[in-house]
Amino acid sequence: MSGILFMSFMLPFTFSSMAQGIIPKPMNIVEGKGQFNLNAGIPILAKSQDSRKSAELFNDFLEKRHGFRLFITQIPQTGPHVILTSIQGDQPEGYLLDINSDKIEIKGGEAGIFYGLQSALQLIEEKDGGLTIPAMRIEDQPEFGYRGLMLDVARHYFPVDQIKKIIDLMAHYKLNRLHWHLTEDQGWRLEIKKYPKLTEISAWRDSTIIGKQYDRDLLIYDGNPHGGFYTQDEAREIVRYAAERQIIVIPEIELPGHSSAVLAAYPELGSFPLVNGVPQAGTISGTNEKGEPLDNDLSTNVPGFWGVQYNIFGPTDAAFTFLEDVLTEVMDIFPSEYIHIGGDEVPKDHWKTSEIAQKVIKKEKLKDEHELQSYFIRRIEKFLNKNGRNLIGWDEILEGGLAPNATVMSWRGEDGGIAAAKMGHDVIMSPNSHMYFDHYYTEDQTNEPLAIHGFLPLEKVYSYSPRPTALSSEEHKFILGVQGNLWTEYISTNNKLEYFIFPRLLALSEVAWTAGDQKDYGEFTKKRLPKRLAELEKSNVFFRIPEADVTISRDMETGRHRISIESLVDKSQVYYTVDGYKADPTGKLYTSPFLAPVSRSEYGPLTLRYVIVTPQGRVSNEFSHTIE
């Protein structure tokens, strides 16, 4: 990005072996000599209110990881100390971190000081019974201003403490936007005082399907009610907690589709008139987009199965009044510039067969139902703009014409983002090919927990470049940043939530923060990721233990295969077999490269199987590697 924060401190990049733990990778590092000894007697000199707040948060992280806090003072110090110096620059998230044996100094704006402290935390080493930080100077700033994670709590509800845990980890790795997906067909998760049935009815479903939806002709349900919601006070607490950690919470209220949960409570907001409280399609009939007979799907229950539902908001005054009332309360809770309105996966079947919708199309001189969706979203955008907010939506909001001031979140690949940028609209890149964290980690799904579909290994997340080559350098200015998305249809526990986020979030942080020409996946996984994964385990984060780095070469003396296995978790152990049978901790302990057994060619290649056991005893999935 243009505008370096500390021009006078520009330094040649030297990636110190002592700085190998920092994720995301800093812009410039020069190592020094010696170290700073960190203990409970060290003061933090913080004169401004913002720097004192950052110091308190640093203490929170320090106490969680190492069991003590530093004392914060405004009195100048002569002995070893930490000093936080607030300065203004054209890159408010940039920082200068200078460490020597006498002091740690961090210069930057409010966010910069916070991020400098997070880097300092990652540099702490346990040495000779104490804590040290190696001497160095780091100059750093982000490549993108928007660095986000989307968390879907509508398919499955997660408690406030779990949301805070994710926020802490986002902040530690310098992400700054939490896109909070609060409403869906299968559940509404936010208290709206004017519409109490949203939390009485829409927030709960009677049952949820077991297993993957398309694996069985007949769905099997668990028979257990599921639901929950966040009170407005709880939502405000999440907003406050995140803001202290330099994260803005962007709420998403889905419209006009993904609204079955709302219509279960308020069916009058749909596209058909009510008879005895039940929506009636009357004699209207039609076909869906595949030409199949239309199932109007006018159920007034919150569905317990996944997929796109036909039941959507009608383009009625009652629906717009409802949505404006809801968004008024949402804006009172969430101070974010953006309000996300979804706008994705809106089946038009009801609108095609609805007299109400067809009258609106005729009255507004619209071409078709796609333009009706655009009309719907433009009307909501005018309301948000009038209240000082901007609309953001998934790339389907391009259909029928893009609302004038809308920001596009490109998820169906990059095409939507490219089209929007060429039109001069701001864009967040979030393609499902690289940024959908609900996908499987590996093509071999037999040892993986159930996921929705797809294949997204860690390396593919890391490889993403948010600036499409199809755009000119001038058009690149409309790419605000990048976001990873976690949908939770098949994620219902805290451990599984963390499994699918981590370690992908660490790769995402480097995609969002670090310049593309400084990224190196091999260096990321071998030099910096191992220490961070060990730290995650100490913090009780249930990350997926990644595959080891396996190298197979030919031993020149014997002609046999030589196998090397390098775990990506610091201080972990690897147990393996090469006889074709299951690997577990009863197998051979890997200690150094070894020669594979001799295999007769008619039996085909041998298979290496192995598991990784972390320092605290977690056992990975079983991994396999063909020896050839």
Side-chain angles (χ1 to χ4, degrees):
M1 295 182 67
S2 61
I4 302 299
L5 178 62
F6 305 108
M7 291 296 293
S8 61
F9 294 102
M10 281 296 291
L11 301 166
F13 182 84
T14 304
F15 199 68
S16 163
S17 60
M18 294 181 293
Q20 289 174 349
I22 298 180
I23 295 176
K25 187 177 188 178
M27 183 176 66
N28 285 296
I29 301 176
V30 172
E31 68 176 82
K33 294 181 179 180
Q35 63 191 29
F36 183 88
N37 296 317
L38 186 67
N39 55 67
I42 298 294
I44 301 179
L45 176 57
K47 293 184 178 181
S48 71
Q49 181 177 353
D50 288 339
S51 63
R52 288 195 296 274
K53 182 169 65 176
S54 292
E56 290 287 1
L57 292 169
F58 173 82
N59 272 335
D60 290 343
F61 282 95
L62 187 66
E63 186 172 34
K64 287 179 183 178
R65 286 166 172 75
H66 301 289
F68 66 89
R69 305 175 74 88
L70 308 183
F71 69 92
I72 301 169
T73 181
Q74 299 183 55
I75 301 172
Q77 302 292 306
T78 56
H81 63 282
V82 179
I83 179 170
L84 308 180
T85 303
S86 297
I87 62 173
Q88 299 301 316
D90 60 356
Q91 177 44 270
E93 294 184 305
Y95 64 91
L96 179 69
L97 171 59
D98 197 356
I99 304 166
N100 57 46
S101 59
D102 296 323
K103 68 178 179 180
I104 297 175
E105 183 171 16
I106 301 174
K107 293 181 179 180
E110 178 185 354
I113 287 176
F114 178 84
Y115 291 136
L117 287 166
Q118 296 307 307
S119 290
L121 279 167
Q122 292 192 31
L123 289 170
I124 293 174
E125 299 176 348
E126 296 182 6
K127 188 175 180 181
D128 300 328
L131 300 181
T132 65
I133 302 179
M136 67 186 66
R137 178 178 283 188
I138 297 176
E139 182 186 16
D140 201 9
Q141 66 181 40
E143 183 72 3
F144 292 98
Y146 187 109
R147 306 180 301 279
L149 176 71
M150 189 284 297
L151 181 58
D152 168 24
V153 296
R155 269 54 175 265
H156 283 100
Y157 170 85
F158 293 91
V160 170
D161 285 349
Q162 182 65 16
I163 306 298
K164 287 183 173 181
K165 183 178 181 180
I166 299 300
I167 288 171
D168 277 342
L169 292 160
M170 289 175 63
H172 191 51
Y173 295 104
K174 303 183 176 73
L175 298 184
N176 65 358
R177 297 292 189 277
L178 173 62
H179 171 182
W180 206 11
H181 187 83
L182 289 163
T183 73
E184 255 302 338
D185 288 307
Q186 294 83 15
W188 180 283
R189 301 286 175 244
L190 182 66
E191 176 190 26
I192 301 296
K193 295 185 182 297
K194 192 167 185 177
Y195 297 96
K197 286 196 287 187
L198 290 174
T199 46
E200 293 169 3
I201 297 174
S202 303
W204 307 91
R205 56 180 181 262
D206 293 339
S207 193
T208 305
I209 64 166
I210 295 173
K212 187 172 290 188
Q213 179 152 334
Y214 303 106
D215 283 353
R216 302 183 176 98
D217 292 333
L218 296 176
L219 300 180
I220 300 174
Y221 287 83
D222 62 12
N224 300 318
H226 177 84
F229 62 90
Y230 306 95
T231 67
Q232 293 196 1
D233 286 344
E234 287 174 328
R236 287 189 175 92
E237 170 60 14
I238 290 291
V239 169
R240 180 203 65 79
Y241 190 87
E244 285 186 343
R245 290 152 180 78
Q246 305 303 317
I247 293 172
I248 295 171
V249 182
I250 299 172
E252 180 176 356
I253 304 297
E254 280 270 15
L255 61 93
H258 288 293
S259 45
S260 293
V262 174
L263 297 176
Y266 298 99
E268 65 272 19
L269 303 179
S271 299
F272 300 103
L274 302 185
V275 176
N276 298 322
V278 179
Q280 300 293 313
T283 60
I284 299 173
S285 63
T287 59
N288 64 21
E289 293 179 357
K290 296 181 180 179
E292 300 165 337
L294 174 63
D295 174 5
N296 276 301
D297 188 22
L298 295 175
S299 169
T300 53
N301 297 317
V302 178
F305 59 95
W306 317 122
V308 178
Q309 313 290 322
Y310 284 114
N311 219 5
I312 66 173
F313 285 115
T316 65
D317 288 341
F320 285 116
T321 297
F322 168 84
L323 289 168
E324 289 179 4
D325 289 342
V326 167
L327 291 171
T328 296
E329 294 195 33
V330 168
M331 288 186 287
D332 187 57
I333 300 167
F334 298 90
S336 61
E337 171 192 357
Y338 287 123
I339 303 294
H340 205 300
I341 54 81
D344 63 309
E345 298 178 329
V346 183
K348 312 298 192 298
D349 304 270
H350 281 192
W351 286 354
K352 289 178 181 178
T353 60
S354 164
E355 290 183 351
I356 295 171
Q358 293 302 313
K359 284 180 181 179
V360 174
I361 290 174
K362 184 176 181 179
K363 177 184 176 183
E364 300 296 330
K365 299 179 180 179
L366 305 174
K367 180 181 177 181
D368 54 20
E369 290 75 25
H370 292 292
E371 287 195 1
L372 179 58
Q373 177 175 330
S374 179
Y375 162 81
F376 200 110
I377 291 172
R378 286 171 187 261
R379 187 161 167 177
I380 294 297
E381 184 188 53
K382 287 179 182 178
F383 175 75
L384 292 175
N385 291 166
K386 185 176 70 175
N387 286 275
R389 307 302 181 91
N390 290 324
L391 178 147
I392 187 169
W394 302 107
D395 55 54
E396 285 96 330
I397 66 173
L398 287 157
E399 297 171 1
L402 189 56
N405 303 309
T407 294
V408 172
M409 191 166 278
S410 188
W411 76 276
R412 296 178 300 177
E414 293 185 326
D415 289 350
I418 291 169
K422 286 184 176 296
M423 295 165 60
H425 285 262
D426 288 337
V427 174
I428 310 300
M429 298 305 295
S430 189
N432 55 0
S433 58
H434 292 76
M435 291 290 136
Y436 266 44
F437 291 1
D438 56 337
H439 291 184
Y440 287 99
Y441 275 93
T442 174
E443 290 181 293
D444 179 11
Q445 300 173 7
T446 56
N447 291 311
E448 291 289 322
L450 177 65
I452 189 166
H453 54 61
F455 166 47
L456 183 62
L458 185 64
E459 184 173 8
K460 192 169 184 179
V461 177
Y462 190 88
S463 71
Y464 185 60
S465 174
R467 295 191 179 99
T469 56
L471 296 176
S472 68
S473 57
E474 180 64 21
E475 291 165 337
H476 280 162
K477 70 182 181 182
F478 296 110
I479 307 299
L480 302 184
V482 62
Q483 177 173 287
N485 298 324
L486 185 68
W487 304 100
T488 62
E489 287 94 333
Y490 300 104
I491 298 173
S492 60
T493 67
N494 291 345
N495 279 358
K496 194 170 184 181
L497 183 80
E498 293 171 15
Y499 180 97
F500 278 85
I501 295 177
F502 301 99
R504 285 167 169 156
L505 183 138
L506 280 67
L508 167 65
S509 77
E510 199 139 304
V511 170
W513 182 278
T514 304
D517 60 1
Q518 291 189 2
K519 289 167 55 187
D520 182 323
Y521 183 70
E523 180 272 327
F524 169 78
T525 53
K526 294 181 182 179
K527 302 298 184 182
R528 291 180 290 126
L529 186 61
K531 186 174 182 179
R532 299 279 69 83
L533 293 181
E535 177 186 81
L536 286 176
E537 183 171 39
K538 288 181 181 178
S539 301
N540 295 317
V541 177
F542 196 85
F543 62 92
R544 180 187 186 268
I545 301 168
E547 294 88 341
D549 183 44
V550 176
T551 303
I552 300 177
S553 59
R554 181 72 67 178
D555 182 72
M556 299 303 294
E557 184 177 341
T558 65
R560 293 160 62 184
H561 290 101
R562 180 175 293 275
I563 301 173
S564 173
I565 309 173
E566 184 178 356
S567 173
L568 302 188
V569 183
D570 205 23
K571 297 181 174 60
S572 60
Q573 294 179 313
V574 177
Y575 295 89
Y576 69 93
T577 66
V578 289
D579 57 11
Y581 294 95
K582 177 180 174 60
D584 59 27
T586 67
K588 292 183 179 180
L589 174 64
Y590 176 81
T591 56
S592 61
F594 62 93
L595 296 177
V598 176
S599 174
R600 294 179 59 171
S601 59
E602 59 264 34
Y603 292 119
L606 296 171
T607 299
L608 167 71
R609 300 182 187 277
Y610 67 93
V611 294
I612 299 166
V613 180
T614 67
Q616 295 189 23
R618 274 192 59 207
V619 181
S620 73
N621 300 332
E622 183 188 48
F623 303 120
S624 62
H625 199 103
T626 301
I627 303 172
E628 60 181 359

